[in-house]
Amino acid sequence: MSYSDGTFVDVLQFLIMGIQRGSIYAMVAMGFNMIYNSTGIINFAQGEFVVLGGLMMVSLTMAFNLSIVFAFILTVLFVIVAGILMERLTINPVKEPTVLRLIIITIAVSIIIKGAAMCFWGKGSHYMRHFSSTEPLDFYGATILPQTLWIFAILLFLVVVYVIFFNYTMTGKCMRACAINRDAARLAGINDRKMVMLSFALSAGIGAIAGIIITPIIQMDYARGAMLGLKGFGAAVLGGLGNSMGAVVAGVLLGILEAFGAGYISSHYMDAIALVILLFVLFIRPSGIFGSSEAMRLKEF
Amino acid sequence: MGGKNSVGFLILIIGIILIPFMVTNDYYLGVLIFTAFNCLACIGLCLLMGYAGQISIGHGAFIAIGAYTSGILTAKFAWSPWLAMFCGILIVIVIAFCLGIPALRLKGHYLAMATLGFASIVHIVAVAAVDLTGGPSGLVNIPRLDFFGYVLSSDKQYFYFSWSVVALGVYIAFNLINSRVGRGLQAIHGSEDAASSLGINITSYKVQVFILSAVFASVSGSLYAYYMNYIDPGPFDVSHSILLVTMVAVGGLHNIWGALIGAVFLSLLPEFLSFLSDYLQVLGIAYQPDYDTLVYGFILLIIMLFLPEGLFKGFGNITQFVRSIFKKFSKRASDRVK
Amino acid sequence: MSNSILELEMLRKNFGGVVAVSDLSLQIEQGAITSLIGPNGAGKTTIFNLVTGFLAPSSGHIKFAGRIVNKMKPHTIASIGIGRTFQNVQIFPKMSVIENIMVGRHLRSNAGIFYSCVLPPFLRKEEKRIQEAAEEQLHFLNLAQHAHAPAGSLPLGNQRMLEIARALAIEPKLLLLDEPASGLNARETIAMGELIEKIKQMNVTVLLVEHDMELVMDISDYVAVINFGKLIAEGTPVEIQENEDVIAAYLGE
């Protein structure tokens, strides 16, 4: 990152960095929301999907030298399979689900994925080549990496796909129906079990994409899952849990706040900024910034 | 303490007395001392999670606060270790109070995430506040505990001391469980509406037990600091908080003995696995300590899927099952004789 | 009604746009059994939740023994002498039967968390008193033989009895029973009726919500009929049975 003089350039630079980080939080938050909507579960392994995506992509592109596009598709499929396995093997068989039990099960899965990632990829962080050039572009005095533009574009693309999927396809509408009222959806002939599995698959896929696109910039390692998950959850709560468009806005907002905090307050406490915001939102307005206070009273937090 | 529990308590005491005679290797004695710290924190967490039904994935933070308060006050300001430990308890009470009031209004997932976020923040502060905590390079010259000038210098002495504190913790926990307040907590777990209709102030009780469990963690942290004479942020990261929850859940949420068994089991597991690795080598499996995390994860998952009540209850069920089979056989045998 | 223990004055509760209780005024006679009846969704349980502090009224007043109790929390309401049971039985299933009742003695004992942890001798005495009071309560309800069974293992009829015993353990002046006979068979229903009359003899005022009309008419001193959150009739059981508005409401004119 290059600092030219003038606060405007600084602000612009922080803004770019913030949106870049925020895009990842937004995607993690979308993943949280999909599973939350179909099951009411907060998946503590959400951050691990991101790590898995990033590390798999590293291996496919760097060790096996596959093309970016091909490796991208393979990685997403791989993590989707991991997501489906998680649902089939650990969520589906639970006959008497209590909140505490489900929380601990998803924590167990996160520990397993983290442990497996450490065994396969070691403890170091991994470099991955950028999608295109690494030559920074000039943007009104601030610099922007082509990879950052890729991140923006892919987030935008995901949002469009998300809107189309949930509003205009039958499967998407069925998933929404399940989110609103599972029993009613089942009576209408929707296979709710299948929808749960699908939500894990989609959630894992979106996590993988987030991991893939951020890895060239942050250099992925096995232990990043918890922090990514926490911040993504922060974005999900800030946007109102279950509300994915809210999550996108909140994720980007969280990223920007974090970037400015790191720039103007202290970079050592950068990671804490998003978490402090998370706590404040949880304590003061658990329905998020877009949730109505009416809905808040009726919902259990 | 009722009949079965007093038997358990007696076994615990006898075990504590005998173990240093059987384990003479200093390394293993050290491992058992760490086990005591984990047990202490798990007793508190079990009161909170198993009895009051409130999850916390943030108790590693209270251990850290206890350890750092003790460490900073003794190493930098030359306070007496006892006074520093007491001061750690006070600080933890204040922090747990301030965190508990807003956090315990949340339920389930939200509470879990809030406490996890808190643990993360404390860890970040421990790393970043270099002037106070020494940052990543840690804090040295923390003294050992002493009794009126008599320093607990050997591991054997420290073993007896730390496990006595655990025994005291168990005693306190059982007193609480079988008291008016303990029943109130279990009532909250059963039904918050019914509990409040009987005059139980739910918010106040939740905050009180949260503070109590944080105090257990704080003492555990202080004892850790005095044993190690050195602390750095490494052991106090989020994964330690998660490990504590794992210990309580593996052993059995609804029982103090379960929490203890879980803490002992998972604290000794790495040693057991490294012991096992020699045998695995023979089978052609090169086991490395790096695989421990993976093994933890699988154990937790398998227990949550198949023995959701934990090892303690699980053992009970298995012995009951075996006994019922045995009864069936003996009955069949006696029928045949007739 | 001259000597009322509970007074509702122009009580109102809105949920969003739905009016659950609509400017209801009602007085409950001390020492009597009063029943609230009305079709499903008439607002009876909402009234219970307002009186016991689980919901806050949108407007109006609730006076208990001359005190306005509108803004009190459920546990404070319990402490001034209002006990209740729930429509869907809310016992503590994992605790034993006697422990369930011992929880009910909460307000009649004082130990705080610190003393509970260290258990000084005077606390052992208090603990003993709690236990004795709970045992007495169990004998009163013929549940003594189940004392140490997990409460969740009891049949529904006994669970409802236990819930009432637990509510009585706080020694309330007013006891609110929400459909105590629902799900019970004929024999259990009769036993429930006898129990409620016994409670009245202990000088506890009873406010009852119940769908079993035979039981209501049998044991009530007064009956209040609610529909759409409004009071449409009140009086003795005989008066109510002859009231045309009531008949119309029940037949769904």
Side-chain angles (χ1 to χ4, degrees):
Chain A
M1 197 160 35
S2 77
Y3 289 91
S4 354
D5 42 57
T7 39
F8 169 74
V9 177
D10 279 355
V11 168
L12 197 60
Q13 193 67 60
F14 290 144
L15 211 58
I16 291 169
M17 208 175 96
I19 299 174
Q20 174 198 303
R21 296 175 149 277
S23 303
I24 302 304
Y25 304 155
M27 287 184 210
V28 178
M30 283 166 89
F32 270 119
N33 282 336
M34 282 180 189
I35 292 180
Y36 176 78
N37 278 341
S38 70
T39 59
I41 298 171
I42 299 297
N43 175 20
F44 281 75
Q46 195 64 38
E48 261 60 35
F49 289 150
V50 181
V51 172
L52 211 53
L55 291 176
M56 191 66 191
M57 187 73 176
V58 166
S59 288
L60 292 180
T61 52
M62 305 307 284
F64 294 96
N65 238 330
L66 297 181
S67 75
I68 296 277
V69 176
F70 190 49
F72 193 113
I73 295 168
L74 272 185
T75 303
V76 173
L77 286 178
F78 170 76
V79 181
I80 285 178
V81 170
I84 292 175
L85 281 178
M86 173 180 177
E87 196 277 329
R88 284 288 106 180
L89 298 178
T90 71
I91 305 295
N92 195 34
V94 178
K95 291 291 178 294
E96 301 155 20
T98 61
V99 174
L100 200 58
R101 196 172 162 199
L102 288 173
I103 289 175
I104 297 175
I105 284 175
T106 62
I107 287 177
V109 172
S110 82
I111 297 175
I112 290 172
I113 296 179
K114 188 176 159 189
M118 188 172 78
C119 292
F120 284 114
W121 284 283
K123 288 182 178 167
S125 47
H126 293 266
Y127 171 79
M128 188 189 125
R129 67 167 182 265
H130 289 226
F131 286 11
S132 46
S133 149
T134 54
E135 200 60 41
L137 308 170
D138 184 81
F139 183 73
Y140 294 103
T143 56
I144 186 164
L145 284 169
Q147 185 67 27
T148 307
L149 293 177
W150 277 109
I151 292 175
F152 295 169
I154 287 172
L155 176 68
L156 215 62
F157 173 75
L158 281 177
V159 168
V160 172
V161 169
Y162 184 94
V163 170
I164 292 173
F165 178 74
F166 280 101
N167 290 306
Y168 300 103
T169 69
M170 198 58 203
T171 321
K173 284 180 185 171
C174 288
M175 281 184 79
R176 263 175 58 201
C178 279
I180 294 164
N181 188 331
R182 219 170 142 178
D183 292 325
R186 192 184 305 142
L187 287 176
I190 296 171
N191 184 345
D192 61 322
R193 284 282 180 187
K194 212 165 126 191
M195 292 300 144
V196 170
M197 192 175 88
L198 191 61
S199 74
F200 271 82
L202 291 177
S203 175
I206 207 166
I209 293 175
I212 292 169
I213 60 180
I214 196 67
T215 299
I217 292 178
I218 63 167
Q219 302 197 350
M220 192 57 79
D221 65 74
Y222 80 101
R224 275 182 188 270
M227 194 54 84
L228 282 167
L230 255 174
K231 289 183 183 171
F233 180 75
V237 173
L238 193 60
L241 203 57
N243 174 358
S244 279
M245 289 306 108
V248 172
V249 178
V252 172
L253 191 67
L254 201 62
I256 292 172
L257 286 174
E258 198 179 70
F260 277 93
Y264 289 112
I265 301 169
S266 158
S267 60
H268 293 292
Y269 291 101
M270 186 183 72
D271 282 334
I273 292 165
L275 301 178
V276 170
I277 294 171
L278 164 68
L279 288 193
F280 267 97
V281 176
L282 278 175
F283 293 165
I284 294 163
R285 214 184 148 82
S287 61
I289 41 178
F290 305 112
S292 69
S293 52
E294 185 68 33
M296 185 167 143
R297 253 180 280 136
L298 296 174
K299 218 167 154 185
E300 283 230 320
F301 293 103
Chain B
M1 235 184 274
K4 270 188 187 171
N5 290 331
S6 4
V7 173
F9 195 67
L10 201 67
I11 294 173
L12 177 69
I13 301 283
I14 294 171
I16 292 172
I17 294 170
L18 291 183
I19 280 174
F21 292 101
M22 298 189 285
V23 181
T24 44
N25 179 325
D26 261 3
Y27 172 75
Y28 287 117
L29 212 53
V31 170
L32 288 171
I33 292 170
F34 282 117
T35 308
F37 304 150
N38 285 334
C39 283
L40 206 52
C42 283
I43 294 168
L45 197 54
C46 178
L47 289 175
L48 179 70
M49 282 178 37
Y51 289 89
Q54 309 299 310
I55 191 169
S56 165
I57 320 185
H59 266 51
F62 295 120
I63 298 182
I65 295 168
Y68 270 105
T69 310
S70 282
I72 292 166
L73 290 179
T74 52
K76 291 198 167 175
F77 300 96
W79 282 36
S80 129
W82 293 101
L83 197 59
M85 181 152 89
F86 184 69
C87 191
I89 292 174
L90 289 185
I91 289 176
V92 159
I93 288 176
V94 172
I95 292 176
F97 180 78
C98 296
L99 177 71
I101 284 186
L104 291 162
R105 290 198 323 225
L106 302 168
K107 290 195 166 74
H109 295 111
Y110 287 82
L111 179 61
M113 278 294 188
T115 48
L116 189 61
F118 168 71
S120 225
I121 292 171
V122 169
H123 182 244
I124 291 166
V125 171
V127 175
V130 180
D131 293 339
L132 200 61
T133 65
S137 51
L139 199 64
V140 290
N141 291 331
I142 302 170
R144 277 240 166 160
L145 269 176
D146 64 299
F147 282 96
F148 308 106
Y150 179 79
V151 181
L152 297 173
S153 49
S154 80
D155 274 8
K156 200 167 166 180
Q157 286 161 344
Y158 214 86
F159 175 93
Y160 279 127
F161 173 69
S162 49
W163 276 95
S164 309
V165 178
V166 172
L168 182 68
V170 172
Y171 176 73
I172 287 176
F174 275 112
N175 278 348
L176 181 69
I177 292 163
N178 297 312
S179 74
R180 168 180 184 262
V181 176
R183 283 189 297 271
L185 293 171
Q186 293 171 67
I188 290 171
H189 194 182
S191 158
E192 294 198 357
D193 283 352
S196 59
S197 82
L198 299 171
I200 294 166
N201 184 344
I202 294 178
T203 324
S204 156
Y205 266 35
K206 282 183 185 171
V207 173
Q208 285 183 42
V209 74
F210 188 67
I211 291 174
L212 180 71
S213 70
V215 167
F216 270 89
S218 164
V219 172
S220 150
S222 294
L223 296 183
Y224 169 84
Y226 296 141
Y227 176 66
M228 292 295 286
N229 311 119
Y230 161 84
I231 43 175
D232 68 60
F236 305 119
D237 64 355
V238 170
S239 57
H240 193 69
S241 292
I242 294 176
L243 181 64
L244 292 175
V245 174
T246 309
M247 286 172 174
V248 176
V250 162
L253 281 170
H254 308 297
N255 195 300
I256 294 289
W257 297 119
L260 281 185
I261 287 172
V264 171
F265 175 64
L266 287 187
S267 303
L268 300 183
L269 188 67
E271 307 309 321
F272 179 69
L273 289 173
S274 74
F275 175 74
L276 209 68
S277 66
D278 297 341
Y279 293 92
L280 289 174
Q281 207 105 53
V282 178
L283 296 171
I285 305 165
Y287 187 87
Q288 287 167 1
D290 279 0
Y291 301 164
D292 285 0
T293 317
L294 202 55
V295 176
Y296 274 128
F298 275 111
I299 288 175
L300 181 61
L301 182 62
I302 287 166
I303 285 180
M304 275 298 119
L305 288 179
F306 302 111
L307 293 175
E309 302 270 342
L311 280 179
F312 184 74
K313 202 61 178 293
F315 281 140
N317 289 346
I318 290 168
T319 48
Q320 221 167 23
F321 179 70
V322 171
R323 222 179 281 165
S324 70
I325 289 181
F326 187 74
K327 257 188 199 161
K328 231 182 249 167
F329 269 106
S330 60
K331 193 172 170 246
R332 215 175 277 169
S334 63
D335 285 348
R336 220 171 278 166
V337 170
K338 278 174 199 168
Chain C
M1 289 191 207
S2 52
N3 186 15
S4 60
I5 187 166
L6 182 73
E7 291 171 42
L8 311 181
E9 284 173 12
M10 295 297 280
L11 192 63
R12 189 180 186 87
K13 180 67 192 175
N14 309 324
F15 293 108
V18 184
V19 183
V21 177
S22 172
D23 301 330
L24 180 93
S25 294
L26 184 66
Q27 299 192 326
I28 307 297
E29 172 96 356
Q30 165 125 38
I33 298 174
T34 306
S35 290
L36 285 182
I37 62 170
N40 282 325
K44 295 164 298 188
T45 298
T46 307
I47 293 172
F48 268 28
N49 285 336
L50 289 167
V51 171
T52 48
F54 284 86
L55 292 172
S58 306
S59 64
H61 289 293
I62 303 164
K63 265 192 202 164
F64 174 69
R67 252 167 109 182
I68 292 182
V69 298
N70 285 7
K71 295 210 169 87
M72 288 186 186
K73 296 223 155 128
H75 63 92
T76 321
I77 300 248
S79 73
I80 60 171
I82 303 182
R84 73 168 293 181
T85 65
F86 296 84
Q87 197 172 347
N88 47 338
V89 190
Q90 302 248 1
I91 50 162
F92 309 123
K94 284 191 179 162
M95 299 170 81
S96 71
V97 169
I98 189 157
E99 279 176 329
N100 263 269
I101 297 180
M102 285 165 86
V103 175
R105 296 302 293 174
H106 193 85
L107 286 166
R108 303 287 154 192
S109 42
N110 307 305
I113 193 163
F114 180 74
Y115 284 127
S116 295
C117 286
V118 295
L119 201 65
F122 71 85
L123 213 69
R124 286 173 201 267
K125 276 185 204 153
E126 183 184 278
E127 187 72 5
K128 207 165 172 208
R129 279 205 305 277
I130 295 174
Q131 185 134 17
E132 282 165 3
E135 277 164 8
E136 206 174 300
Q137 203 69 253
L138 279 180
H139 282 290
F140 175 67
L141 284 153
N142 292 326
L143 287 171
Q145 70 272 27
H146 303 295
H148 297 285
S153 69
L154 295 182
L156 181 69
N158 283 348
Q159 289 194 9
R160 286 205 185 277
M161 293 272 188
L162 174 60
E163 203 188 11
I164 293 173
R166 194 182 63 186
L168 280 176
I170 74 170
E171 295 176 14
K173 296 190 193 88
L174 170 67
L175 182 61
L176 277 57
L177 301 174
D178 201 346
E179 299 196 22
S182 88
L184 302 193
N185 62 32
R187 196 165 38 106
E188 288 171 329
T189 305
I190 291 169
M192 184 58 75
E194 286 167 358
L195 174 63
I196 295 171
E197 287 187 318
K198 261 200 242 171
I199 293 170
K200 178 189 165 189
Q201 281 157 22
M202 292 160 64
N203 206 15
V204 177
T205 310
V206 177
L207 183 58
L208 180 72
V209 163
E210 185 49 64
H211 280 300
D212 186 325
M213 280 310 132
E214 205 176 324
L215 179 69
V216 168
M217 296 306 167
D218 217 27
I219 63 172
S220 305
D221 298 303
Y222 301 99
V223 177
V225 189
I226 315 274
N227 201 9
F228 299 113
K230 289 196 179 99
L231 184 69
I232 57 173
E234 60 180 318
T236 62
V238 181
E239 286 165 5
I240 292 299
Q241 276 164 315
E242 289 164 356
N243 187 309
E244 285 179 9
D245 289 341
V246 177
I247 296 165
Y250 266 86
L251 294 180
E253 191 192 56

